[in-house]
Amino acid sequence: MTHTKTDVAIIGAGPVGLFAVFECGMLGLKSHVFDALEEIGGQCTALYPEKPIYDIPGLPEIAAGGLIENLEKQAAAFNPVYHLGSPVEGLQEKDGRFILKTARGNTVDAGAVIIAAGAGAFGPNRPPIENIKDFEGTSVFYACRNKSQFKDCDVAIAGGGDSALDWAIALQPIAKSITIIHRRDKFRGAPDSVSKLQDLREKGLVKIETPYQLKDIRGSEGRIDHIDLADMDGNQKQIKADALLCFFGLSTSLGAISHWELELSKKELAVNPETCQTNRDGVYAIGDVATYPKKLKLILTGFAEAAQAAHDIYHRLNPDTPLHFEYSTTKGVPGSPA
Ligand SMILES: Cc1cc2nc3c(=O)[nH]c(=O)nc-3n(C[C@H](O)[C@H](O)[C@H](O)COP(=O)(O)OP(=O)(O)OC[C@H]3O[C@@H](n4cnc5c(N)ncnc54)[C@H](O)[C@@H]3O)c2cc1C
């Protein structure tokens, strides 16, 4: 467990949280950034990394994943500390500062907090199987971080969308066997992936179990022995598996944030648009999670809010040092020739 001190704690490493690092950095403020996910990028990375975005000023077209790469690069000049896979669960106030506590038990002491939590922390949609948590992390997974961990395994993959199909195709050459389980006969993935899957099935390299759903996981000490499947008519069958990958999409939840005595308006945080401060002094909200009259939920709106919040935080943390407004062209960034 760690305990560190910083100027600003940013909750959410989506596009808006990442740009807040830059805006704070330009004013000499150091940031720690937290995200529940293991990767930065928020919705852009988790939901549509390859889709082109057309309304980022100055970039006529950029893939969502490319935008995140650029934002990470832009923020890197200010050496942010990232805490990934770390949902923030606790926020305590002490002597005008804030102590944030993550689900991993780490704490950060910050002079101000920026909540850039989007629609809330992302987490996997779990299938309704009572004992599933007993197997998570050892033989049940909701993402594939390292293909080699499935080498020579009997892998079951549940789901019918792009992730399920892509991972079935990617793991087929290294796994001992691949079985896809889907509740419908039709798959929702890209046509090219669906035809690749059918081809693998015809060659006997992938098994497809449809229309079946997961019913039970059998095994002990976190290790799966086999999985029970059932169809809508109650017909059941068992399949042998060492590992189960579930791809049922992501759910979002404001979670702990909704218990921090912040004014909520339809599950969003009400802020003063001039500063982006919430009803709590020192706690700011920007991006999709922040609301005020006529708010536009766009990335570019969130970027401007990051600048508003950063300037207000500067005054809060440096009450005796007036801020001389300067353009980036005048000031430069660390490492630039300006
Ligand atoms: C398919 C699609 C296409 C889109 N196209 C466009 C477009 O063309 N132009 C445009 O402007 N917008 C577009 N959007 C919307 C855009 O993606 C959002 O406005 C943007 O992602 C909001 O950024 P954010 O940083 O506020 O939040 P998010 O991107 O939602 O990131 C929030 C992050 O906070 C994390 N988080 C939340 N709570 C916690 C917690 N307690 N602890 C730790 N981490 C937490 C979440 O895990 C998440 O990673 C699109 C959205 C979708 C789904």
Side-chain angles (χ1 to χ4, degrees):
M1 277 191 267
T2 59
H3 179 77
T4 34
K5 215 167 165 179
T6 188
D7 296 320
V8 187
I10 300 172
I11 302 174
V16 176
L18 293 176
F19 193 62
V21 173
F22 177 82
E23 284 296 322
C24 289
M26 289 298 277
L27 302 177
L29 305 171
K30 298 224 165 302
S31 306
H32 277 235
V33 188
F34 300 84
D35 207 294
L37 294 178
E38 297 284 351
E39 276 180 298
I40 62 165
Q43 294 175 46
C44 294
T45 309
L47 302 181
Y48 60 110
E50 282 166 19
K51 274 196 200 289
I53 305 182
Y54 300 100
D55 57 355
I56 302 298
L59 296 169
E61 176 180 339
I62 184 162
L67 175 67
I68 296 305
E69 276 171 31
N70 284 354
L71 286 165
E72 183 182 19
K73 215 188 276 175
Q74 202 170 10
F78 301 105
N79 300 313
V81 179
Y82 291 103
H83 303 254
L84 300 178
S86 297
V88 177
E89 295 198 330
L91 178 72
Q92 278 183 345
E93 211 168 331
K94 203 176 163 205
D95 305 328
R97 292 186 62 87
F98 298 92
I99 316 290
L100 288 88
K101 192 168 179 195
T102 70
R104 293 185 173 180
N106 297 326
T107 53
V108 169
D109 172 339
V113 177
I114 296 181
I115 304 176
F122 282 113
N125 281 324
R126 294 184 162 83
I129 294 177
E130 213 172 284
N131 61 346
I132 196 156
K133 288 199 171 168
D134 299 346
F135 298 92
E136 285 177 0
T138 41
S139 48
V140 169
F141 306 91
Y142 301 98
C144 177
R145 313 238 170 268
N146 175 7
K147 281 203 271 184
S148 63
Q149 80 184 98
F150 300 107
K151 189 169 178 322
D152 300 326
C153 290
D154 290 308
V155 181
I157 297 181
D162 281 316
S163 299
L165 301 193
D166 291 351
W167 283 112
I169 294 163
L171 293 175
Q172 181 276 317
I174 60 167
K176 188 164 148 202
S177 73
I178 297 277
T179 307
I180 286 216
I181 303 143
H182 183 40
R183 68 197 160 107
R184 295 205 185 93
D185 289 323
K186 275 199 157 182
F187 289 93
R188 281 176 287 108
D192 185 46
S193 309
V194 176
S195 69
K196 266 191 202 145
L197 188 75
Q198 295 302 354
D199 187 45
L200 290 172
R201 176 197 219 172
E202 277 157 29
K203 290 181 177 145
L205 298 171
V206 164
K207 278 181 250 165
I208 296 182
E209 296 289 2
T210 56
Y212 278 97
Q213 283 181 281
L214 300 170
K215 184 167 183 292
D216 272 313
I217 299 174
R218 311 278 179 183
S220 59
E221 293 172 6
R223 302 272 159 216
I224 300 180
D225 179 55
H226 63 267
I227 298 172
D228 294 337
L229 309 180
D231 70 9
M232 297 299 275
D233 300 324
N235 300 311
Q236 296 195 15
K237 62 162 72 171
Q238 277 188 351
I239 61 163
K240 168 99 192 71
D242 308 312
L244 169 65
L245 279 158
C246 298
F247 294 112
F248 297 124
L250 295 169
S251 63
T252 54
S253 144
L254 263 195
I257 295 172
S258 49
H259 305 298
W260 292 350
E261 291 164 19
L262 299 167
E263 189 187 330
L264 284 166
S265 168
K266 292 190 192 147
K267 295 195 183 165
E268 284 153 4
L269 301 174
V271 298
N272 169 357
E274 287 176 21
T275 57
C276 290
Q277 189 163 249
T278 63
N279 58 308
R280 273 183 81 168
D281 244 20
V283 180
Y284 296 75
I286 60 175
D288 278 11
V289 77
T291 192
Y292 45 82
K294 309 227 172 182
K295 157 92 182 203
L296 284 179
K297 273 198 197 179
L298 286 174
I299 295 171
L300 68 89
T301 316
F303 287 169
E305 291 164 355
Q308 296 295 120
H311 278 76
D312 205 64
I313 290 170
Y314 176 88
H315 294 298
R316 174 185 167 85
L317 300 188
N318 302 279
D320 304 322
T321 317
L323 177 65
H324 297 291
F325 182 86
E326 279 181 307
Y327 292 122
S328 70
T329 40
T330 319
K331 225 194 260 191
V333 291
S336 76

